[in-house]
Amino acid sequence: MLSLADAAKLVAARGRLMQALPAGGVMVSVQATEAEVLPLLAGRDDQVGVGAVNGPTSVVLSGAEAAVEEIAEHFRELGRKTKRLSVSHAFHSPLMAPMLDEFRAVVAGLSFTASDIPVASTVTGELTTASVWADPDYWVEHVKAGVRFADAVTAVHTSGVVTFVEIGPDAILTALTGQIVNADDEVAAVPLVRRDRDAAVTFTAGLGSLWARGVTVDFSALLAGGRRVDLPTYAFQHQRYWLEATAQVPADPTGLGLHAAEHPLLAAAMTLAGADEHVLTGRLSVATHPWLADHQVMDTIVLPGTAHVELALHAGHRVGCDTLDELTLQAPLVLPASGAVHVQITVGEADVQGRRQLHIYSRPEDASTDTPTTLHAAGILLREAPDGTTATELAAWPPTGAEEVDVSALYQELSAAGLTYGPAFQLVRRAWRATDSDQVFAEVALSQQNAGDADQFGLHPALMDAALHSIGLAGRSALTGGAQLPFAFVGVRLHATGATVLRVRITPADSDSVRLDLADSTGALVGTVDSLILRTVDRDQISGGTTGSRDALYQVEWVVGPVQERAGSPQVAVLGADWQPELANICAAVVVPDVLLAPVEPTGGDLADDARHLVHRTLGLVQEFLAAEQLAATRLVLVTRGAVATGTGEIPHPGQAALWGLVRSAQAEHPDRLVLLDLDDSADAGLVLPAVLACGEPEVAVRAGRVFVPRLVRVVESVEGAAWAADGAVLVTGGTSGLGALVARHLVVAHGV
């Protein structure tokens, strides 16, 4: 309709004249319909107006601050959401009047022509003719009248348009369009530019989405110099003639004297003779369970932690235990790209409280029968009656008082952290963050491909795994950054089965754990997890989870630790012998220290009494330290001397060694809060502390001014032979340095020689 030069004149004049107006005026977005707002504007035509109608229940008020705020407050009292926009003036309001005459003169000097495509006006909210656009009064009205975006989109959609393209600086209008026309598979809104995204990638992906919907795209203009090539046809044919792989058991296990496990991931079950112990077995493969290939950690297919939970709950249900009291994941269960692994679940006898031990093992299918199995998870099952809890708080959806979070880039961000999810696991549809707490809400739904199998599971592992994907949206540093996997599930209860859609409430409990409440699409409770603890993993930990040969021998060795520069000087407080009142004073201080240094010295008396004294004193200190909320960001460094042997010739002090064992247990429950520091006689804790804190290790020993840390190292690949000689001696052959001592030590202990 305009030449480039005339279009530039119109835009420049409009912006210049608007900004030249006196400062003042506000714009506030209100959750209300236009019909609700208009009666409140009566008698205020020169102060406030409807600046925009962005959706069925989204209106922007624009005008003098007092008038706008009075109307906005009316809706706040009704429980509606309002948001003040960051603008310099009250655009599209009566306050634009002083610029209109000069702007009309500018528009009158422009030349308009007829458009060759239909255009919808956000002034009238209708498809507009060329004569309307050429009228200067139309552009004057465009400045002071509200933006009728919702009406314009509706008019276009009514005319038969089902594909919308946003060419603005972000995807704001794309989201609004979806709300206006209730976007489904027939209607799509595609942005071509996204804030903080690579422009070329976003633009090309947008054009690809349009082309996939049948929109003609001139790719020759985009990819200059490219040429068309024919795609191979066979792999892309729509009809297939071979059978789909299924997870069904190939044969009836009753013919082998076993019972059917009645679960998609398991094949058979048995009860051991003469005991109330049970074993369930299965075979896992990406050929028979292809959806498992969509769960990859560090480019490795790993059985989801939620699948371990599903297996444990099923095993518990078979023995009358419907509560998974706890389940700790000890090693990742890696699935090969080809082949399979055999899975075995053992359930022990019930104790007097009805508790049963549960373990999950695996071994590669092609491994020999004498290959050791790998323990992946250990837990406890309980026999508990249902508590009758209902998820009434999740009946209102979306949750009241929560702001929606954009999840369009969620899976790209997770992939960057090392967690790659395929279509079977990319199930987060929407998410919200509570405005008055750290709670996060999410809506997840099984893919159509897996929804048909949901009734075969208690809770499909892919659906439950997707419920965890929004944990990082809580904004807690301990729950974000790096590849984080479930480490321990506590208090897992399943209240309903076969869900295909979940409403999820994630409530952070402390620095590294969350509570999960899972409900169906009506708000009825499906399951709860009292506590889920996450741990950051690296590539070595995942590759170490590959089931395979365990012939190599390992032992702990103390090696020189990494030396790093530490930014800044931490505030340090040192506890003396009378630590209880000192700790109370530190908690009451205005500024608490970053590091609490606690030297623990032996009494020099009887070894047994000394050990008891050190352990009890340390237990009390650690308990009070962890219970002090004021010290939540403080690290406790316990300083010992001679508690560990870092080399030959060193003999650990029994009492201080027992202290280390106690604190190691506490470190497992409270990572990054406790540090063990062992010194030799020449070291000073204050001088070595910066180096200890910089290396970031939970256990550190200082010997002759050097920092050592413990590492598990391989000491021998294999043993060629060990045999009793005729005279009762032991002959050992093969191996590497140190093998003889290791084997001899084992034989002395095992055979009493």
Side-chain angles (χ1 to χ4, degrees):
M1 290 172 287
L2 289 169
S3 66
L4 181 59
D6 278 357
K9 289 179 183 178
L10 186 148
V11 172
R14 188 176 188 273
R16 173 177 56 81
L17 294 172
M18 281 181 170
Q19 292 298 333
L21 292 172
V26 297
M27 300 182 74
V28 176
S29 176
V30 177
Q31 183 186 16
T33 65
E34 186 180 17
E36 291 175 313
V37 170
L38 289 178
L40 302 178
L41 303 181
R44 306 179 184 180
D45 296 344
D46 59 340
Q47 300 179 53
V48 62
V50 176
V53 181
N54 290 330
T57 59
S58 178
V59 175
V60 175
L61 299 173
S62 182
E65 182 172 8
V68 170
E69 281 297 330
E70 182 179 345
I71 299 174
E73 182 60 28
H74 167 77
F75 289 103
R76 292 191 192 103
E77 293 176 353
L78 297 177
R80 309 290 184 85
K81 292 191 293 185
T82 66
K83 181 179 181 181
R84 188 159 176 166
L85 307 185
S86 299
V87 294
S88 59
H89 294 77
F91 304 114
H92 300 285
S93 80
L95 274 60
M96 295 287 103
M99 65 161 283
L100 300 182
D101 291 340
E102 187 175 350
F103 184 56
R104 180 184 285 104
V106 173
V107 177
L110 306 180
S111 299
F112 292 87
T113 60
S115 170
D116 57 355
I117 60 173
V119 179
S121 165
T122 56
V123 175
T124 65
E126 300 173 348
L127 294 176
T128 308
T129 62
S131 60
V132 172
W133 290 91
D135 184 356
D137 287 337
Y138 171 83
W139 295 98
V140 171
E141 186 70 11
H142 191 276
V143 171
K144 68 176 183 179
V147 180
R148 308 197 67 82
F149 178 74
D151 293 342
V153 169
T154 302
V156 173
H157 181 48
T158 303
S159 69
V161 173
V162 294
T163 302
F164 295 82
V165 184
E166 180 175 357
I167 59 174
D170 204 354
I172 297 174
L173 301 184
T174 295
L176 290 176
T177 301
Q179 297 172 9
I180 295 167
V181 298
N182 296 320
D184 52 26
D185 293 340
E186 296 299 321
V187 180
V190 178
L192 296 185
V193 182
R194 295 296 297 271
R195 184 172 301 167
D196 300 327
R197 306 278 183 87
D198 183 274
V201 171
T202 305
F203 183 72
T204 307
L207 292 181
S209 298
L210 295 173
W211 181 83
R213 290 184 57 82
V215 177
T216 301
V217 177
D218 184 4
F219 283 106
S220 62
L222 175 67
L223 306 172
R227 64 184 180 87
R228 287 185 175 273
V229 296
D230 292 331
L231 289 175
T233 57
Y234 184 74
F236 298 93
Q237 287 180 350
H238 298 292
Q239 188 174 6
R240 298 170 60 179
Y241 294 96
W242 55 86
L243 297 175
E244 295 285 354
T246 66
Q248 300 302 318
V249 180
D252 184 357
T254 57
L256 303 175
L258 305 172
H259 302 289
E262 299 176 343
H263 194 277
L265 301 180
L266 298 170
M270 65 178 296
T271 302
L272 299 185
D276 185 20
E277 298 181 29
H278 305 262
V279 178
L280 297 90
T281 63
R283 177 183 182 274
L284 299 181
S285 163
V286 295
T288 56
H289 306 82
W291 56 274
L292 291 175
D294 284 351
H295 186 274
Q296 297 190 20
V297 181
M298 308 292 184
D299 304 318
T300 302
I301 303 173
V302 176
L303 186 72
T306 53
H308 290 280
V309 172
E310 169 68 16
L311 293 173
L313 286 172
H314 179 76
H317 180 70
R318 292 182 65 92
V319 297
C321 293
D322 292 327
T323 295
L324 180 58
D325 188 42
E326 63 179 65
L327 183 71
T328 303
L329 305 180
Q330 303 189 9
L333 199 166
V334 174
L335 297 176
S338 60
V341 295
H342 291 170
V343 176
Q344 187 177 105
I345 305 171
T346 64
V347 180
E349 292 185 343
D351 61 16
V352 294
Q353 297 176 325
R355 297 157 57 93
R356 293 177 180 265
Q357 299 283 341
L358 173 138
H359 297 86
I360 300 177
Y361 302 88
S362 82
R363 178 165 52 199
E365 185 175 54
D366 56 0
S368 61
T369 55
D370 59 354
T371 299
T373 56
T374 299
L375 174 63
H376 296 286
I380 297 175
L381 298 168
L382 294 180
R383 183 191 300 272
E384 284 188 0
D387 57 10
T389 304
T390 58
T392 54
E393 294 180 78
L394 295 181
W397 201 258
T400 304
E403 293 183 349
E404 187 160 7
V405 180
D406 182 10
V407 295
S408 59
L410 175 63
Y411 287 102
Q412 292 91 323
E413 294 167 357
L414 290 173
S415 179
L419 304 176
T420 304
Y421 297 106
F425 285 82
Q426 291 187 16
L427 308 181
V428 176
R429 298 294 177 256
R430 301 175 70 185
W432 298 264
R433 185 185 295 115
T435 56
D436 57 352
S437 68
D438 289 336
Q439 284 187 332
V440 169
F441 302 86
E443 184 175 287
V444 298
L446 268 179
S447 63
Q448 185 176 2
Q449 181 180 3
N450 289 328
D453 299 330
D455 58 352
Q456 300 181 43
F457 295 86
L459 182 58
H460 199 291
L463 188 64
M464 186 178 182
D465 193 82
L468 314 183
H469 297 171
S470 300
I471 289 178
L473 299 178
R476 314 241 318 199
S477 60
L479 301 181
T480 57
Q484 294 206 323
L485 296 180
F487 169 70
F489 293 85
V490 178
V492 184
R493 299 172 181 84
L494 202 59
H495 304 274
T497 61
T500 59
V501 177
L502 287 181
R503 295 177 178 179
V504 184
R505 177 172 56 209
I506 302 168
T507 306
D510 50 40
S511 60
D512 64 350
S513 67
V514 297
R515 173 184 170 84
L516 299 175
D517 295 291
L518 312 174
D520 62 17
S521 57
T522 67
L525 194 63
V526 170
T528 54
V529 180
D530 291 343
S531 178
L532 165 62
I533 302 174
L534 302 175
R535 288 289 185 272
T536 301
V537 297
D538 56 30
R539 192 174 296 274
D540 290 341
Q541 290 172 290
I542 296 302
S543 60
T546 305
T547 51
S549 174
R550 293 292 184 269
D551 290 341
L553 298 178
Y554 293 83
Q555 70 181 20
V556 175
E557 288 187 3
W558 288 84
V559 301
V560 177
V563 178
Q564 302 177 13
E565 293 289 333
R566 182 180 177 87
S569 299
Q571 290 186 329
V572 181
V574 182
L575 291 176
D578 196 9
W579 57 266
Q580 286 180 310
E582 295 179 15
L583 189 63
N585 292 335
I586 292 173
C587 292
V590 176
V591 179
V592 297
D594 301 312
V595 177
L596 202 57
L597 205 62
V600 185
E601 299 286 348
T603 61
D606 177 78
L607 283 179
D609 291 338
D610 197 29
R612 280 192 291 270
H613 167 76
L614 289 174
V615 170
H616 281 278
R617 170 181 166 82
T618 304
L619 176 62
L621 173 59
V622 170
Q623 287 177 331
E624 290 201 20
F625 168 76
L626 293 174
E629 296 181 358
Q630 301 91 329
L631 302 178
T634 301
R635 300 175 74 188
L636 176 63
V637 180
L638 293 127
V639 183
T640 59
R641 292 188 184 271
V644 293
T646 61
T648 57
E650 294 186 36
I651 301 176
H653 183 278
Q656 301 221 359
L659 180 158
W660 270 56
L662 169 71
V663 176
R664 281 172 177 150
S665 298
Q667 285 176 328
E669 299 179 22
H670 303 276
D672 301 323
R673 296 293 313 280
L674 306 169
V675 178
L676 286 166
L677 170 59
D678 192 67
L679 306 178
D680 57 15
D681 292 335
S682 63
D684 180 87
L687 295 179
V688 302
L689 187 60
V692 171
L693 297 176
C695 74
E697 295 284 335
E699 299 177 23
V700 180
V702 177
R703 299 292 185 269
R706 293 195 300 171
V707 174
F708 289 82
V709 296
R711 290 290 184 267
L712 193 65
V713 298
R714 183 183 302 225
V715 295
V716 62
E717 290 292 336
S718 62
V719 177
E720 292 181 11
W724 292 101
D727 60 357
V730 178
L731 177 64
V732 179
T733 61
T736 58
S737 176
L739 172 62
L742 285 172
V743 174
R745 185 183 310 156
H746 166 72
L747 292 173
V748 168
V749 174
H751 300 284
V753 297

